[in-house]
Amino acid sequence: MNERRLEELRREIDKVDEAIIELLGRRLKLAREIGLIKGHNRKIRDLRREQRVLERVKLQASLQQFSPEVAEKIYRILMDYFVSQQEELLRQQRRP
Ligand SMILES: C=C(O[C@@H]1C=C(C(=O)O)C=C[C@H]1O)C(=O)O
């Protein structure tokens, strides 16, 4: 019985993981669009905006009884990645 419940819960976790990755894919598309709007004349990295994102995410994390510190670490990694993807997109645009 416990085994069955464990399998059930793991299937739920798999679904949650799928949703997380799908949302990250959505976030990536949005970040790329923003990168194109910024273009070559504006700095890609916006630390003030990143600070605001971190504040929101940490607040949401605590409302979900999730560690704000862990949420912050995850988001710092994510935002580095999104910035690098925006830069890569603009680099590709420069190539003939
Ligand atoms: C997506 C943006 O570009 C960068 C990436 C951010 C993010 O992933 O949330 C936030 C700020 C910028 O450093 C933006 O300016 O909104």
Side-chain angles (χ1 to χ4, degrees):
M1 190 58 207
N2 259 352
E3 276 305 302
R4 196 141 26 102
R5 183 70 185 134
L6 187 138
E7 280 311 310
E8 213 174 270
L9 292 171
R10 283 183 173 166
R11 273 199 298 276
E12 279 300 303
I13 283 192
D14 289 347
K15 279 192 212 151
V16 170
D17 288 341
E18 277 170 34
I20 291 172
I21 299 296
E22 193 187 315
L23 289 172
L24 286 175
R26 244 172 83 188
R27 200 183 194 287
L28 177 60
K29 280 197 194 115
L30 295 168
R32 284 190 174 137
E33 262 187 70
I34 290 175
L36 292 177
I37 291 172
K38 287 179 186 165
H40 298 281
N41 307 316
R42 224 160 113 180
K43 259 174 63 185
I44 289 293
R45 182 137 239 165
D46 182 339
L47 290 177
R48 275 184 54 186
R49 167 67 183 161
E50 290 191 15
Q51 205 50 49
R52 282 200 295 270
V53 171
L54 287 177
E55 290 312 318
R56 289 193 68 226
V57 156
K58 278 158 57 181
L59 179 66
Q60 281 178 305
S62 25
L63 292 174
Q64 297 294 329
Q65 274 88 54
F66 186 89
S67 156
E69 290 79 18
V70 173
E72 176 170 355
K73 277 190 200 153
I74 294 170
Y75 263 76
R76 283 192 187 280
I77 293 170
L78 285 176
M79 289 192 293
D80 279 351
Y81 170 68
F82 290 120
V83 167
S84 76
Q85 288 299 294
Q86 289 176 323
E87 287 169 347
E88 178 59 27
L89 186 64
L90 293 179
R91 259 198 305 275
Q92 280 171 7
Q93 266 197 340
R94 276 192 197 280
R95 285 190 207 125

